[in-house]
């Protein structure tokens, strides 16, 4: 009798919850929520956070080799932003009752996923341009609808992130503008970067709608607001004219404007490659995790020193009292 | 330790909650908050509060907690009809 009651009770709670979602009411940390809603958000938000942190690595690779001091300072600021974005997102995930250490542990053990795109290498300076233009561009496309998602802390983190992401994309495009107006070798370097980053960027939007396992429930709970294919189409439509401006050729022989649809038609994505990369067999998966593990180990003395300092000065009362 | 961060974005405004961060103590939390939440001069003042110091009302008890305000519409000036010829009230 008790089991039946609790099943009926849960179904009733789930219905009330869905009504709140449908009414556009934001869900906040201590609100009642279905277990599955909490779990899927922890997964999505923490993966998003991991992506930001791991995403620092391909760009960090070129900080020491930026062509000018100004571009170096700008790239440093961008990479610093990515760290900040990761932190906003870990904070948002923690409001759902998970511990930061556990999220990090899952990343370092290989259990947690992060965006497939960061498993590709940055081979030239033009790659830094391509990443800003295409990868941050795709991220913006994905993140703007998320500003309206149902979970308050995630939506607010997205608003903050979107404000900062725009500089990232412009920074990348600016690099490619300079290269496209440069020597033949520089133009060729820009074209080569586009050749290697175009398709992985399209894959960032995830599998085709009919294959995406989490989509239906996430849509109903307003965690996913636009479909993978919808975002992907929008990205292509916006980006191709930008490539035209740069005088670069998108590496897709099937790409053409479809007047009837009012959109670009584009070629078939190699989903085998995507699945391999997601599974850990991309060009840089092992390196990325190795670097993160090394960073965690190398940073241990800093965390210990901070704790020791805090313990030593506990109760000294500095800065306490009526806030200014 | 988990800290909640509040930022006053400019003079005259109140501090607003912007998120949380981890730090070993309050002093380090302040510096961390400067790096995480004010990279674009979003603030002129930062408060850090250990998360455990915050007591929050329970969302499940929202209705009864805020019920007293529901039937006191006379707290709003619009409730009262002021004759049009009367000024400055």
């Amino acid at each position: 009798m008790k089991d039946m009651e609790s099943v009926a009770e849960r179904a009733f709670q789930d219905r009330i919850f869905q009504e709140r979602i449908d009414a556009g009411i934001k869900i906040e940390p201590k609100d009642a929520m279905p277990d599955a809603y909490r779990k899927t958000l922890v997964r999505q938000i923490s993966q998003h956070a991991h992506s930001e942190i791991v995403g620092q690595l391909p760009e960090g690779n070129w900080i020491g080799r930026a062509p000018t001091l100004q571009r170096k300072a700008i790239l440093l600021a961008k990479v610093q932003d990515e760290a900040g974005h990761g932190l906003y997102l870990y904070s948002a995930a923690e409001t759902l009752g998970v511990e930061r250490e556990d999220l990090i542990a899952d990343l370092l053990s290989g259990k947690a996923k992060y965006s497939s795109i960061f498993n590709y290498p940055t081979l030239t300076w033009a790659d830094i341009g391509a990443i800003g233009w295409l990868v941050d561009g795709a991220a913006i496309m994905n993140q703007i609808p998320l500003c309206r998602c149902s979970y308050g802390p995630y939506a607010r983190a997205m608003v903050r992130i979107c404000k900062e992401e725009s500089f990232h994309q412009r920074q990348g495009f600016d690099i490619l503008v300079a290269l496209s107006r440069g020597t033949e070798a520089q133009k060729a370097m820009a074209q080569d970067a586009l050749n290697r980053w175009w398709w992985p960027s399209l894959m960032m939007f995830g599998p085709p709608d009919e294959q995406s396992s989490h989509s239906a429930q996430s849509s109903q709970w307003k965690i996913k607001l636009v479909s993978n294919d919808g975002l992907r189409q929008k990205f292509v439509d916006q980006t191709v004219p930008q490539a035209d401006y740069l005088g670069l050729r998108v590496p897709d022989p099937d790409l053409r404007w479809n007047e009837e649809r009012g959109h670009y038609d584009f070629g078939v994505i190699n989903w085998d490659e995507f699945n391999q990369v997601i599974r850990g067999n991309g060009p840089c998966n092992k390196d990325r995790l190795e670097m993160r593990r090394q960073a965690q180990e190398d940073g241990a003395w800093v965390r210990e020193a901070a704790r020791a300092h805090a313990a030593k000065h506990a109760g000294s009362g500095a800065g306490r009292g009526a806030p200014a | 330790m988990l800290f909640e961060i509040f930022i006053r974005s400019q003079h005259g405004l109140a501090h607003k909650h912007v998120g949380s961060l981890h730090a070993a103590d309050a002093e380090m939390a302040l510096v961390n908050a400067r790096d995480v939440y004010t990279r674009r001069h979003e603030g002129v003042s930062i408060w850090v509060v250990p998360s455990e110091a915050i007591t929050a009302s329970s969302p499940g008890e929202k209705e009864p907690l805020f019920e007293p305000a529901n039937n006191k519409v006379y707290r709003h000036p619009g409730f009262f009809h002021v004759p049009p010829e009367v000024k400055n009230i």
Side-chain angles (χ1 to χ4, degrees):
Chain A
M1 198 55 207
K2 202 154 183 199
D3 279 338
M4 279 183 65
E5 276 174 5
S6 64
V7 166
E9 175 67 24
R10 217 172 309 133
F12 175 65
Q13 294 297 344
D14 288 355
R15 213 162 41 242
I16 303 241
F17 179 77
Q18 188 60 51
E19 279 168 19
R20 299 185 70 203
I21 301 272
D22 293 340
I25 294 174
K26 287 273 183 270
I27 310 300
E28 296 294 346
K30 292 285 176 279
D31 289 347
M33 60 182 80
D35 259 346
Y37 179 83
R38 183 189 304 273
K39 280 198 177 76
T40 212
L41 272 176
V42 167
R43 181 187 51 81
Q44 182 167 329
I45 300 174
S46 61
Q47 273 177 206
H48 200 160
H50 297 325
S51 299
E52 301 282 358
I53 301 301
V54 176
Q56 296 178 282
L57 295 173
E59 287 174 312
N61 185 27
W62 279 89
I63 288 174
R65 291 175 288 173
T68 67
L69 185 57
Q70 184 177 51
R71 291 211 186 268
K72 179 186 207 154
I74 290 171
L75 184 58
L76 270 166
K78 177 181 196 286
V79 172
Q80 186 185 33
D81 268 357
E82 309 299 8
H85 294 180
L87 291 177
Y88 304 150
L89 290 163
Y90 283 129
S91 293
E94 284 173 294
T95 65
L96 289 160
V98 289
E99 297 292 329
R100 178 79 60 94
E101 285 89 48
D102 296 333
L103 298 177
I104 305 283
D106 283 349
L107 171 67
L108 298 183
S109 71
K111 184 170 163 215
K113 296 204 189 106
Y114 53 88
S115 187
S116 52
I117 193 74
F118 300 117
N119 292 311
Y120 291 85
T122 43
L123 300 178
T124 72
W125 174 250
D127 286 36
I128 302 303
I131 287 180
W133 174 41
L134 300 175
V135 175
D136 286 88
I140 290 172
M141 194 114 285
N142 186 46
Q143 284 163 184
I144 288 180
L146 282 173
C147 293
R148 302 188 311 271
C149 89
S150 57
Y151 189 58
Y154 193 24
R156 290 189 289 272
M158 283 297 111
V159 170
R160 182 174 284 276
I161 287 176
C162 283
K163 282 196 185 123
E164 303 183 349
E165 205 77 60
S166 193
F167 130 60
H168 298 182
Q169 190 183 24
R170 288 190 181 196
Q171 169 268 159
F173 192 71
D174 190 65
I175 288 171
L176 292 172
V177 168
L179 290 173
S180 70
R181 290 174 185 167
T183 65
E184 286 311 308
Q186 286 171 324
K187 289 180 194 169
M189 183 170 40
Q191 181 63 61
D192 173 65
L194 174 56
N195 292 347
R196 282 180 290 102
W197 286 93
W198 175 256
W199 291 103
S201 298
L202 294 196
M203 292 177 204
M204 281 176 72
F205 297 101
D209 292 344
E210 68 267 14
Q211 281 174 38
S212 183
S213 51
H214 301 287
S215 278
Q217 182 62 273
S218 290
S219 296
Q220 202 176 21
W221 280 334
K222 291 194 183 153
I223 298 172
K224 186 186 203 61
L225 292 121
V226 186
S227 73
N228 294 353
D229 289 334
L231 289 174
R232 193 174 1 251
Q233 178 69 71
K234 195 160 174 211
F235 176 75
V236 173
D237 291 343
Q238 280 185 194
T239 310
V240 172
Q242 293 167 350
D244 291 341
Y245 177 86
L246 291 171
L248 298 176
R249 194 184 41 83
V250 171
D252 181 356
D254 297 316
L255 181 73
R256 64 181 50 81
W257 177 253
N258 184 321
E259 187 60 49
E260 214 176 278
R261 285 202 313 131
H263 295 286
Y264 281 95
D265 291 336
F266 54 94
V268 178
I269 292 172
N270 179 357
W271 291 111
D272 285 336
E273 178 183 329
F274 175 74
N275 290 324
Q276 282 301 324
V277 174
I278 281 287
R279 243 175 250 139
N281 299 325
C284 296
N285 299 57
K286 291 188 174 62
D287 285 344
R288 300 292 179 234
L289 279 193
E290 218 7 80
M291 283 216 78
R292 286 310 312 159
R293 288 184 193 123
Q294 194 62 51
Q296 187 74 2
E297 227 172 87
D298 291 348
W301 74 269
V302 178
R303 297 191 293 277
E304 261 171 61
R307 274 192 287 268
H309 177 89
K312 191 168 168 185
H313 296 269
S316 69
R320 245 149 270 178
Chain B
M1 255 179 93
L2 191 65
F3 288 85
E4 302 299 329
I5 313 300
F6 301 80
I7 308 273
R8 189 200 310 283
S9 61
Q10 50 173 316
H11 73 92
L13 298 178
H15 285 74
K16 195 169 123 174
H17 181 245
V18 294
S20 65
L21 55 77
H22 288 258
D25 68 15
E27 298 303 315
M28 287 184 252
L30 272 177
V31 180
N32 289 352
R34 189 277 312 273
D35 288 337
V36 179
Y37 291 107
T38 70
R39 282 195 301 283
R40 285 163 178 79
H41 216 305
E42 293 94 320
V44 299
S45 165
I46 302 173
W47 288 353
V48 303
V49 181
S51 304
E52 62 193 19
I54 294 184
T55 303
S57 60
S58 160
E61 270 137 48
K62 198 159 44 172
E63 261 84 66
L65 182 63
F66 297 111
E67 195 278 331
N70 288 348
N71 59 355
K72 299 184 178 66
V73 66
Y74 42 76
R75 283 183 172 149
H76 299 274
F79 174 80
F80 296 91
H81 168 73
V82 179
E85 56 268 42
V86 181
K87 308 292 171 212
N88 302 314
I89 183 167

